[in-house]
Amino acid sequence: MSINGAMLAGVSGLTANAAALSTISQNIANVNTVGYKRATSEFATVVNSQTQGVGFSAGGVQATARHFISQAGQLQRTTSGTDLAIAGQGFFVVTEKSENLVNSDARLFTRAGAFKIDDLGYLQNTAGLYLQGWPVDTDGNVASDPSDVNRLKTINVGSVGGAAEPTTRVGLNANLKSSQKVSDAATVPTPAGVTAYDPATNSMAMWDPVTGTGVKPDFEITIPVSDSKGGQRSIAIAFLKGPNANEWYAEVHAPDGSVVNPNTPLKSGMVRFTQDGRLDTTFNGPTALFPDPSQASLTLGASGSVPPVPPAVAPDGTWAAGLGIAAQTIAIDLTAAAGGLTQYDSTSIVQATYTNGTAFGNLTEVKIDDTGFVTAIFDNGVMRKIAQVALATFPSADNLTEVSGNAFRVSQSSGTFNLKAPGTGGAGLLGASQLEASTVDLSTEFTGLITTQRAYSASSKIITTADEMLAELINIKR
């Protein structure tokens, strides 16, 4: 009957407004939850089938929760370098466990980026979920795939130890005095009682001021280099003024004895200068110190390595066997725009030597940039990329399924995820030392609280009125 239908409609109003109250309560409770997305209850009518001539049958109302997951919150600055926020539509990919992940393990998605380093070195947010990313290989490359979550690994910054970088490039800014007196050892023919300079039998690498053996160089440039283990070695370039103008004998050797046969030059030959004091880069060939002065380099074989069989090119020298270090090629820039190697009538001097490579260093800091690269910074200045944070996007993010921990699962309505690097495909850039605030607006929620309370009271009034009408109907018989 219509009175009974009115009462049931009132009950549906109570149920719907109670659901709306729960939604508002959830929002208010999470007003300070990082990355929380507000929800609201939307009402829809329920219409019963109507029979002609019987009267109207009330259906009532039903409430459906709507989640504004795609709505972005305001980014707020923090003091933690591992706090992350997304300025875009992406989601962090997270898992409930850090290690031994298999295909059946759930991958969740969240905007809650309050990550910290746990006791094993993994990045974990306040809900206990672990951040996933693509590992960076030793060459700095990332093997990403937009749909394969198995390529993602839990990002670990605690496993990063110390780091060292070998020297691969040297730049020189030095001058040789053009009016340098030609020594007796370089004079041809050799004066009686003086041993002539010979890179094979009487070289500058053999020079010993105590015993007087070898040939004393007119000038020597010592270059500090780092080996593959971060050890500090010395390479020297010795110069002896030649008998011809603008020509110098030159040798490259290791004065610290760090190579096999340290008394033998690693390289020897001539360097020639132009009449205006610049290095003559056109002087090349077998008599030159470097076959191509504009592309000068020194190659050292690994400790204990055996020289290759000809026609393979042998290195210029080999690191001493006891050092146990790797092969190394060092590019030597003799023609730098800042000066390079020159010959002016001024004091022979080294203005500067520029080398890369570093000694062993310890981890001091972890930084995450806006493209998602997690970089370890060491106290020796070395920076090493560890991983790149992956972001997931969805065709319909508002239809994701909510789970505990302010995270979401894929649903049939949301569509499948697409993994992207930050800053690509609308995924958004990352903001380090930032967090995304909750999207809850308290003024809106409290206003909704008032209207929901009134609607609930009105629905209860329907039930009270219908009850009174039923009572009147029952009293007719009396």
Coordinates of all heavy atoms in Angstrom, one line a residue, residues 11-104:
V11 N 12.8 4.9 5.0 CA 14.0 4.1 5.4 C 15.1 4.2 4.5 O 16.3 4.3 4.9 CB 13.5 2.6 5.6 CG1 14.7 1.7 5.8 CG2 12.5 2.4 6.7
S12 N 14.8 4.2 3.2 CA 15.9 4.3 2.2 C 16.6 5.7 2.3 O 17.8 5.8 2.1 CB 15.4 4.2 0.8 OG 14.6 5.3 0.4
G13 N 15.9 6.7 2.7 CA 16.5 8.0 2.9 C 17.4 8.0 4.1 O 18.5 8.6 4.1
L14 N 17.0 7.3 5.2 CA 17.9 7.1 6.3 C 19.1 6.4 6.0 O 20.2 6.8 6.4 CB 17.1 6.4 7.5 CG 15.9 7.1 8.1 CD1 15.3 6.2 9.1 CD2 16.4 8.4 8.8
T15 N 19.0 5.3 5.2 CA 20.2 4.5 4.8 C 21.1 5.4 3.9 O 22.3 5.4 4.1 CB 19.7 3.3 4.1 OG1 18.8 2.5 4.9 CG2 20.9 2.4 3.7
A16 N 20.5 6.1 3.0 CA 21.4 6.9 2.0 C 22.1 8.0 2.8 O 23.3 8.2 2.5 CB 20.5 7.4 0.9
N17 N 21.4 8.7 3.7 CA 22.0 9.8 4.4 C 23.0 9.3 5.4 O 24.0 10.0 5.7 CB 21.0 10.7 5.0 CG 20.3 11.6 4.0 OD1 20.9 12.5 3.5 ND2 19.0 11.2 3.6
A18 N 22.8 8.1 5.9 CA 23.8 7.5 6.8 C 25.1 7.2 6.1 O 26.2 7.4 6.6 CB 23.2 6.2 7.5
A19 N 24.9 6.7 4.8 CA 26.1 6.5 4.0 C 26.8 7.8 3.7 O 28.0 7.8 3.6 CB 25.7 5.8 2.7
A20 N 26.0 8.8 3.4 CA 26.6 10.1 3.1 C 27.4 10.6 4.4 O 28.5 11.2 4.2 CB 25.6 11.1 2.7
L21 N 26.8 10.4 5.5 CA 27.5 10.8 6.8 C 28.8 10.0 6.9 O 29.9 10.6 7.4 CB 26.6 10.5 8.0 CG 27.2 10.9 9.3 CD1 27.5 12.4 9.4 CD2 26.3 10.4 10.5
S22 N 28.8 8.8 6.6 CA 30.1 8.0 6.7 C 31.1 8.5 5.7 O 32.3 8.6 6.0 CB 29.8 6.5 6.3 OG 28.9 5.9 7.2
T23 N 30.7 8.9 4.5 CA 31.7 9.5 3.5 C 32.3 10.8 4.0 O 33.5 11.0 4.0 CB 31.0 9.7 2.2 OG1 30.4 8.5 1.7 CG2 31.9 10.2 1.1
I24 N 31.4 11.6 4.6 CA 31.9 12.9 5.1 C 32.8 12.7 6.3 O 33.9 13.3 6.5 CB 30.7 13.8 5.5 CG1 29.9 14.2 4.3 CG2 31.2 15.0 6.3 CD1 28.6 14.9 4.6
S25 N 32.5 11.7 7.2 CA 33.3 11.4 8.3 C 34.7 10.9 7.9 O 35.7 11.3 8.4 CB 32.6 10.3 9.2 OG 31.4 10.8 9.6
Q26 N 34.7 10.1 6.8 CA 36.0 9.6 6.3 C 36.8 10.7 5.8 O 38.0 10.8 6.0 CB 35.7 8.6 5.1 CG 36.9 8.1 4.4 CD 37.6 6.9 5.1 OE1 37.2 6.6 6.3 NE2 38.5 6.2 4.4
N27 N 36.2 11.7 5.1 CA 36.9 12.8 4.6 C 37.5 13.7 5.7 O 38.7 14.1 5.7 CB 36.0 13.7 3.7 CG 35.7 13.0 2.4 OD1 36.3 12.1 2.0 ND2 34.6 13.5 1.8
I28 N 36.7 14.0 6.7 CA 37.2 14.8 7.8 C 38.3 14.1 8.6 O 39.3 14.8 9.0 CB 36.0 15.2 8.7 CG1 35.0 16.0 8.0 CG2 36.5 15.9 10.0 CD1 33.7 16.3 8.8
A29 N 38.2 12.8 8.8 CA 39.2 12.1 9.5 C 40.5 12.1 8.8 O 41.6 12.0 9.4 CB 38.7 10.6 9.7
N30 N 40.5 12.2 7.4 CA 41.7 12.2 6.6 C 42.1 13.6 6.1 O 42.8 13.6 5.1 CB 41.5 11.2 5.5 CG 41.6 9.8 5.9 OD1 42.6 9.2 6.1 ND2 40.4 9.2 6.0
V31 N 41.7 14.6 6.8 CA 42.0 15.9 6.3 C 43.5 16.2 6.3 O 44.0 17.0 5.5 CB 41.3 17.0 7.2 CG1 41.8 17.0 8.6 CG2 41.4 18.4 6.5
N32 N 44.3 15.5 7.1 CA 45.7 15.7 7.1 C 46.5 14.5 6.6 O 47.7 14.4 6.8 CB 46.2 16.0 8.6 CG 45.8 17.3 9.1 OD1 45.8 18.3 8.3 ND2 45.4 17.4 10.3
T33 N 45.8 13.5 5.9 CA 46.5 12.4 5.4 C 47.1 12.7 4.1 O 46.5 13.3 3.2 CB 45.4 11.2 5.2 OG1 44.8 10.9 6.4 CG2 46.1 10.0 4.6
V34 N 48.4 12.4 3.9 CA 49.2 12.8 2.7 C 48.6 12.0 1.5 O 48.4 10.8 1.6 CB 50.6 12.4 2.9 CG1 51.4 12.6 1.6 CG2 51.3 13.3 4.0
G35 N 48.3 12.8 0.5 CA 47.8 12.2 -0.8 C 46.4 11.6 -0.7 O 46.0 10.9 -1.7
Y36 N 45.6 11.9 0.3 CA 44.3 11.4 0.4 C 43.4 12.1 -0.6 O 43.5 13.3 -0.9 CB 43.7 11.6 1.8 CG 42.3 11.2 1.9 CD1 41.9 9.9 2.1 CD2 41.2 12.1 1.9 CE1 40.6 9.5 2.2 CE2 39.9 11.8 2.1 CZ 39.6 10.4 2.2 OH 38.3 10.0 2.3
K37 N 42.5 11.3 -1.3 CA 41.5 11.8 -2.2 C 40.1 11.7 -1.7 O 39.7 10.7 -1.3 CB 41.6 11.0 -3.5 CG 43.0 10.9 -4.1 CD 43.6 12.2 -4.5 CE 44.9 12.1 -5.1 NZ 45.5 13.4 -5.5
R38 N 39.5 12.9 -1.6 CA 38.2 13.0 -1.0 C 37.1 12.2 -1.8 O 37.3 11.9 -3.0 CB 37.7 14.4 -0.9 CG 37.5 15.1 -2.3 CD 37.0 16.5 -2.1 NE 35.6 16.5 -1.5 CZ 34.5 16.6 -2.3 NH1 34.6 16.6 -3.6 NH2 33.3 16.6 -1.7
A39 N 36.1 11.8 -1.1 CA 35.0 11.1 -1.7 C 33.7 11.8 -1.4 O 33.6 12.6 -0.4 CB 34.9 9.6 -1.2
T40 N 32.7 11.5 -2.1 CA 31.4 12.1 -1.8 C 30.3 11.1 -2.1 O 30.5 10.1 -2.9 CB 31.1 13.4 -2.6 OG1 29.9 14.0 -2.2 CG2 31.1 13.1 -4.1
S41 N 29.1 11.2 -1.5 CA 28.0 10.4 -1.8 C 27.0 11.1 -2.7 O 26.6 12.2 -2.5 CB 27.3 10.0 -0.5 OG 28.0 9.1 0.3
E42 N 26.7 10.4 -3.8 CA 25.8 11.0 -4.8 C 24.5 10.1 -4.8 O 24.6 8.9 -4.7 CB 26.4 11.0 -6.2 CG 27.6 11.9 -6.3 CD 28.2 12.0 -7.7 OE1 27.9 11.1 -8.5 OE2 28.9 13.0 -8.0
F43 N 23.4 10.9 -4.8 CA 22.1 10.2 -4.6 C 21.4 10.0 -6.0 O 21.6 10.8 -6.9 CB 21.2 11.0 -3.7 CG 21.7 11.2 -2.3 CD1 22.4 12.4 -2.0 CD2 21.6 10.3 -1.4 CE1 22.9 12.6 -0.7 CE2 22.1 10.4 -0.1 CZ 22.7 11.6 0.3
A44 N 20.7 8.9 -6.0 CA 20.0 8.5 -7.2 C 18.6 8.0 -6.8 O 18.5 7.3 -5.8 CB 20.7 7.5 -8.1
T45 N 17.6 8.4 -7.6 CA 16.2 7.9 -7.2 C 16.0 6.4 -7.5 O 16.7 5.9 -8.4 CB 15.2 8.7 -8.0 OG1 15.4 8.5 -9.4 CG2 15.2 10.2 -7.7
V46 N 15.2 5.8 -6.7 CA 14.7 4.4 -6.9 C 13.2 4.5 -7.3 O 12.4 5.0 -6.5 CB 15.0 3.6 -5.7 CG1 14.4 2.1 -6.0 CG2 16.5 3.5 -5.4
V47 N 12.9 4.1 -8.5 CA 11.5 4.2 -8.9 C 10.9 2.8 -9.0 O 11.5 1.9 -9.7 CB 11.4 4.9 -10.3 CG1 9.9 4.9 -10.8 CG2 12.0 6.3 -10.2
N48 N 9.8 2.5 -8.3 CA 9.1 1.3 -8.4 C 8.2 1.3 -9.6 O 7.7 2.3 -10.1 CB 8.2 1.0 -7.2 CG 9.1 0.8 -5.9 OD1 10.3 0.3 -6.1 ND2 8.6 1.0 -4.8
S49 N 7.9 0.1 -10.1 CA 6.9 0.0 -11.2 C 5.5 0.4 -10.7 O 5.1 0.1 -9.6 CB 6.9 -1.4 -11.8 OG 6.5 -2.4 -10.8
Q50 N 4.9 1.2 -11.5 CA 3.6 1.7 -11.1 C 2.4 1.0 -11.8 O 2.5 0.6 -13.0 CB 3.5 3.2 -11.5 CG 4.6 4.1 -11.0 CD 4.7 4.1 -9.5 OE1 3.6 4.2 -8.9 NE2 5.9 4.1 -9.0
T51 N 1.4 0.7 -11.0 CA 0.2 0.0 -11.6 C -0.9 1.0 -11.7 O -1.3 1.7 -10.8 CB -0.2 -1.1 -10.7 OG1 0.8 -2.0 -10.5 CG2 -1.4 -1.9 -11.3
Q52 N -1.5 1.1 -12.9 CA -2.5 2.1 -13.2 C -3.8 1.8 -12.4 O -4.3 0.7 -12.2 CB -2.9 2.0 -14.7 CG -3.8 3.2 -15.1 CD -4.0 3.2 -16.6 OE1 -3.5 2.3 -17.3 NE2 -4.7 4.2 -17.1
G53 N -4.2 2.9 -11.8 CA -5.4 2.9 -11.0 C -5.2 2.5 -9.5 O -6.1 2.6 -8.7
V54 N -4.0 2.1 -9.2 CA -3.7 1.8 -7.8 C -3.2 2.9 -7.0 O -3.3 3.0 -5.8 CB -2.8 0.5 -7.7 CG1 -2.4 0.2 -6.3 CG2 -3.4 -0.6 -8.4
G55 N -2.5 3.9 -7.7 CA -1.9 5.0 -7.0 C -0.4 4.9 -7.1 O 0.2 4.0 -7.7
F56 N 0.3 5.9 -6.6 CA 1.7 6.0 -6.7 C 2.4 5.2 -5.6 O 2.1 5.2 -4.5 CB 2.2 7.5 -6.6 CG 3.6 7.7 -6.8 CD1 4.2 7.6 -8.0 CD2 4.5 7.8 -5.7 CE1 5.6 7.8 -8.2 CE2 5.8 8.0 -5.8 CZ 6.4 8.0 -7.1
S57 N 3.5 4.4 -6.0 CA 4.3 3.7 -5.1 C 5.7 4.3 -5.0 O 6.4 4.2 -6.0 CB 4.4 2.2 -5.5 OG 5.2 1.5 -4.6
A58 N 6.0 4.8 -3.8 CA 7.3 5.5 -3.6 C 8.4 4.4 -3.7 O 8.3 3.4 -3.1 CB 7.3 6.2 -2.3
G59 N 9.5 4.8 -4.4 CA 10.7 3.9 -4.4 C 11.7 4.3 -3.4 O 12.3 3.4 -2.7
G60 N 12.1 5.5 -3.4 CA 13.1 6.0 -2.4 C 14.3 6.5 -3.1 O 14.3 7.0 -4.2
V61 N 15.4 6.3 -2.4 CA 16.7 6.9 -2.8 C 17.8 5.9 -2.5 O 17.7 5.1 -1.5 CB 17.0 8.3 -2.2 CG1 17.1 8.1 -0.7 CG2 18.2 8.9 -2.8
Q62 N 18.9 5.9 -3.3 CA 20.1 5.2 -3.0 C 21.3 6.1 -3.1 O 21.3 7.0 -3.9 CB 20.2 3.9 -3.9 CG 20.4 4.3 -5.4 CD 20.5 3.0 -6.2 OE1 20.4 1.9 -5.7 NE2 20.7 3.2 -7.5
A63 N 22.3 5.7 -2.3 CA 23.5 6.6 -2.3 C 24.7 5.7 -2.9 O 24.8 4.5 -2.6 CB 23.9 7.0 -0.9
T64 N 25.5 6.4 -3.7 CA 26.6 5.8 -4.4 C 27.8 6.6 -4.1 O 27.8 7.9 -4.3 CB 26.5 5.6 -5.9 OG1 25.3 4.8 -6.1 CG2 27.6 4.9 -6.5
A65 N 28.9 6.0 -3.6 CA 30.1 6.8 -3.3 C 30.9 7.1 -4.6 O 31.1 6.2 -5.4 CB 31.0 6.0 -2.3
R66 N 31.3 8.3 -4.7 CA 32.1 8.7 -5.8 C 33.5 9.2 -5.3 O 33.5 10.1 -4.4 CB 31.5 9.8 -6.6 CG 32.3 10.4 -7.8 CD 31.6 11.5 -8.5 NE 32.5 12.1 -9.5 CZ 32.2 13.1 -10.3 NH1 31.0 13.8 -10.0 NH2 33.0 13.6 -11.2
H67 N 34.6 8.7 -5.9 CA 35.9 9.0 -5.4 C 36.6 9.9 -6.4 O 36.7 9.6 -7.6 CB 36.8 7.8 -5.2 CG 36.2 6.8 -4.2 ND1 36.4 6.9 -2.9 CD2 35.4 5.7 -4.4 CE1 35.7 5.9 -2.3 NE2 35.1 5.2 -3.2
F68 N 37.1 11.0 -5.9 CA 37.8 12.0 -6.8 C 39.3 11.7 -6.8 O 40.1 12.5 -6.4 CB 37.5 13.4 -6.4 CG 36.1 13.8 -6.5 CD1 35.2 13.6 -5.5 CD2 35.6 14.4 -7.7 CE1 33.9 14.0 -5.6 CE2 34.3 14.8 -7.8 CZ 33.4 14.6 -6.8
I69 N 39.7 10.5 -7.3 CA 41.0 10.1 -7.3 C 41.9 10.9 -8.2 O 43.1 11.1 -7.9 CB 41.1 8.6 -7.6 CG1 40.3 7.8 -6.6 CG2 42.5 8.1 -7.6 CD1 40.1 6.3 -6.9
S70 N 41.4 11.3 -9.3 CA 42.3 12.1 -10.2 C 42.5 13.5 -9.8 O 43.2 14.3 -10.5 CB 41.6 12.0 -11.6 OG 40.3 12.6 -11.6
Q71 N 41.8 14.0 -8.8 CA 41.9 15.4 -8.4 C 43.2 15.5 -7.6 O 43.5 14.8 -6.7 CB 40.8 15.8 -7.4 CG 40.8 17.2 -7.0 CD 39.7 17.6 -6.0 OE1 38.7 16.8 -5.9 NE2 39.7 18.7 -5.4
A72 N 44.0 16.5 -8.1 CA 45.4 16.7 -7.5 C 45.3 17.6 -6.3 O 44.5 18.6 -6.3 CB 46.3 17.3 -8.5
G73 N 46.1 17.3 -5.2 CA 46.1 18.1 -4.1 C 47.3 19.1 -4.2 O 48.1 19.0 -5.0
Q74 N 47.3 20.1 -3.3 CA 48.3 21.1 -3.2 C 49.6 20.5 -2.8 O 49.7 19.7 -1.8 CB 47.9 22.2 -2.3 CG 48.9 23.4 -2.3 CD 48.4 24.6 -1.5 OE1 47.3 24.5 -0.9 NE2 49.1 25.6 -1.4
L75 N 50.8 20.9 -3.4 CA 52.1 20.4 -3.0 C 52.6 21.3 -1.9 O 52.6 22.5 -2.0 CB 53.0 20.3 -4.2 CG 52.6 19.5 -5.4 CD1 53.7 19.4 -6.4 CD2 52.1 18.1 -5.0
Q76 N 53.2 20.6 -0.9 CA 53.7 21.3 0.3 C 55.1 20.9 0.5 O 55.5 19.8 0.4 CB 52.8 21.0 1.5 CG 51.4 21.4 1.4 CD 50.6 21.1 2.6 OE1 50.9 20.2 3.4 NE2 49.4 21.7 2.8
R77 N 55.9 21.9 0.8 CA 57.4 21.7 1.1 C 57.7 21.0 2.4 O 57.0 21.3 3.4 CB 58.1 23.1 1.0 CG 59.6 23.0 1.2 CD 60.3 22.3 0.0 NE 60.1 23.0 -1.2 CZ 60.6 22.6 -2.4 NH1 61.3 21.5 -2.4 NH2 60.3 23.2 -3.5
T78 N 58.6 20.1 2.4 CA 59.0 19.4 3.6 C 60.6 19.5 3.7 O 61.2 20.1 2.9 CB 58.6 17.9 3.6 OG1 59.4 17.2 2.6 CG2 57.2 17.8 3.3
T79 N 61.1 18.9 4.8 CA 62.5 18.9 5.0 C 63.2 17.6 4.7 O 64.4 17.5 4.8 CB 62.8 19.3 6.5 OG1 62.2 18.3 7.3 CG2 62.3 20.7 6.8
S80 N 62.5 16.6 4.3 CA 63.0 15.3 4.0 C 63.3 15.1 2.5 O 62.4 15.4 1.7 CB 62.1 14.2 4.5 OG 62.6 12.9 4.0
G81 N 64.5 14.7 2.1 CA 64.8 14.6 0.7 C 64.2 13.4 0.0 O 64.1 13.3 -1.2
T82 N 63.6 12.4 0.8 CA 63.0 11.3 0.3 C 61.4 11.4 0.2 O 60.8 10.5 -0.2 CB 63.3 10.0 1.1 OG1 63.0 10.2 2.5 CG2 64.8 9.7 1.0
D83 N 60.9 12.6 0.6 CA 59.5 12.9 0.4 C 59.3 13.2 -1.0 O 60.0 14.0 -1.6 CB 59.1 14.0 1.3 CG 58.9 13.6 2.8 OD1 58.8 12.4 3.0 OD2 58.8 14.5 3.6
L84 N 58.3 12.6 -1.6 CA 58.0 12.8 -3.1 C 56.6 13.2 -3.3 O 55.6 12.7 -2.7 CB 58.3 11.6 -3.8 CG 59.8 11.1 -3.8 CD1 59.9 9.7 -4.5 CD2 60.7 12.1 -4.4
A85 N 56.4 14.1 -4.3 CA 55.0 14.5 -4.7 C 55.0 14.5 -6.2 O 56.1 14.6 -6.9 CB 54.6 15.8 -4.2
I86 N 53.8 14.3 -6.8 CA 53.7 14.2 -8.3 C 52.9 15.4 -8.7 O 51.8 15.6 -8.3 CB 53.0 12.9 -8.7 CG1 53.7 11.7 -8.1 CG2 52.9 12.8 -10.2 CD1 53.0 10.4 -8.3
A87 N 53.5 16.1 -9.7 CA 52.8 17.2 -10.3 C 52.3 16.8 -11.7 O 52.8 17.1 -12.7 CB 53.7 18.4 -10.5
G88 N 51.2 16.0 -11.6 CA 50.6 15.4 -12.8 C 49.6 14.3 -12.5 O 49.1 14.2 -11.3
Q89 N 49.4 13.4 -13.4 CA 48.3 12.4 -13.2 C 48.9 11.0 -12.8 O 48.1 10.1 -12.8 CB 47.5 12.3 -14.5 CG 46.8 13.5 -14.9 CD 45.8 13.9 -13.9 OE1 45.0 13.1 -13.4 NE2 45.8 15.2 -13.5
G90 N 50.2 10.9 -12.6 CA 50.7 9.6 -12.3 C 50.5 9.1 -10.9 O 50.1 9.9 -10.0
F91 N 50.8 7.9 -10.7 CA 50.8 7.2 -9.3 C 52.1 6.5 -9.1 O 52.6 5.9 -10.0 CB 49.6 6.2 -9.2 CG 48.2 6.9 -9.3 CD1 47.7 7.3 -10.5 CD2 47.5 7.1 -8.1 CE1 46.4 7.8 -10.5 CE2 46.2 7.7 -8.2 CZ 45.7 8.0 -9.4
F92 N 52.5 6.5 -7.8 CA 53.7 5.7 -7.5 C 53.2 4.2 -7.5 O 52.1 3.8 -7.1 CB 54.2 6.0 -6.1 CG 54.7 7.4 -5.9 CD1 54.0 8.3 -5.1 CD2 55.8 7.8 -6.6 CE1 54.4 9.6 -5.0 CE2 56.3 9.1 -6.4 CZ 55.6 10.0 -5.6
V93 N 54.1 3.3 -8.0 CA 53.9 1.9 -8.0 C 54.5 1.4 -6.7 O 55.7 1.6 -6.4 CB 54.5 1.2 -9.2 CG1 54.2 -0.3 -9.2 CG2 54.0 1.8 -10.5
V94 N 53.8 0.7 -5.8 CA 54.3 0.2 -4.6 C 53.8 -1.2 -4.4 O 52.9 -1.8 -5.0 CB 53.7 1.1 -3.4 CG1 54.3 2.5 -3.4 CG2 52.2 1.1 -3.4
T95 N 54.5 -1.9 -3.5 CA 54.2 -3.3 -3.1 C 54.2 -3.4 -1.6 O 54.8 -2.6 -0.9 CB 55.3 -4.3 -3.7 OG1 56.6 -3.9 -3.2 CG2 55.3 -4.2 -5.2
E96 N 53.6 -4.5 -1.1 CA 53.5 -4.7 0.3 C 54.7 -5.4 0.9 O 54.8 -5.4 2.1 CB 52.2 -5.6 0.6 CG 50.9 -4.9 0.2 CD 49.7 -5.8 0.3 OE1 49.9 -7.0 0.1 OE2 48.6 -5.3 0.7
K97 N 55.6 -6.0 0.1 CA 56.8 -6.5 0.6 C 58.0 -6.0 -0.3 O 57.8 -5.7 -1.5 CB 56.8 -8.0 0.7 CG 56.7 -8.8 -0.7 CD 56.7 -10.3 -0.4 CE 56.7 -11.0 -1.8 NZ 56.7 -12.5 -1.6
S98 N 59.2 -6.0 0.3 CA 60.3 -5.4 -0.4 C 61.1 -6.4 -1.3 O 61.7 -6.0 -2.3 CB 61.2 -4.7 0.6 OG 61.7 -5.7 1.5
E99 N 61.1 -7.6 -0.9 CA 62.0 -8.6 -1.5 C 61.3 -9.8 -2.0 O 60.1 -10.1 -1.6 CB 63.2 -9.0 -0.6 CG 64.0 -7.9 -0.1 CD 65.0 -8.3 0.9 OE1 64.8 -9.4 1.6 OE2 66.0 -7.6 1.1
N100 N 61.9 -10.5 -2.9 CA 61.4 -11.8 -3.5 C 60.0 -11.6 -4.1 O 59.1 -12.5 -3.8 CB 61.4 -12.9 -2.4 CG 62.7 -13.1 -1.7 OD1 63.7 -13.2 -2.5 ND2 62.8 -13.2 -0.4
L101 N 59.8 -10.6 -4.9 CA 58.5 -10.4 -5.5 C 58.3 -11.4 -6.6 O 59.2 -11.7 -7.4 CB 58.5 -9.0 -6.0 CG 58.5 -7.8 -5.0 CD1 58.6 -6.5 -5.7 CD2 57.2 -7.9 -4.2
V102 N 57.1 -11.9 -6.7 CA 56.7 -12.8 -7.8 C 55.5 -12.2 -8.5 O 54.9 -11.2 -8.1 CB 56.4 -14.2 -7.3 CG1 57.6 -14.8 -6.7 CG2 55.3 -14.1 -6.3
N103 N 55.1 -12.8 -9.6 CA 54.0 -12.2 -10.4 C 52.7 -12.1 -9.6 O 51.9 -11.3 -9.9 CB 53.8 -13.1 -11.7 CG 54.9 -13.0 -12.7 OD1 55.7 -12.0 -12.6 ND2 55.0 -13.9 -13.6
S104 N 52.5 -13.0 -8.7 CA 51.2 -13.1 -8.0 C 51.2 -12.0 -6.9 O 50.1 -11.7 -6.3 CB 51.0 -14.4 -7.3 OG 52.1 -14.8 -6.5

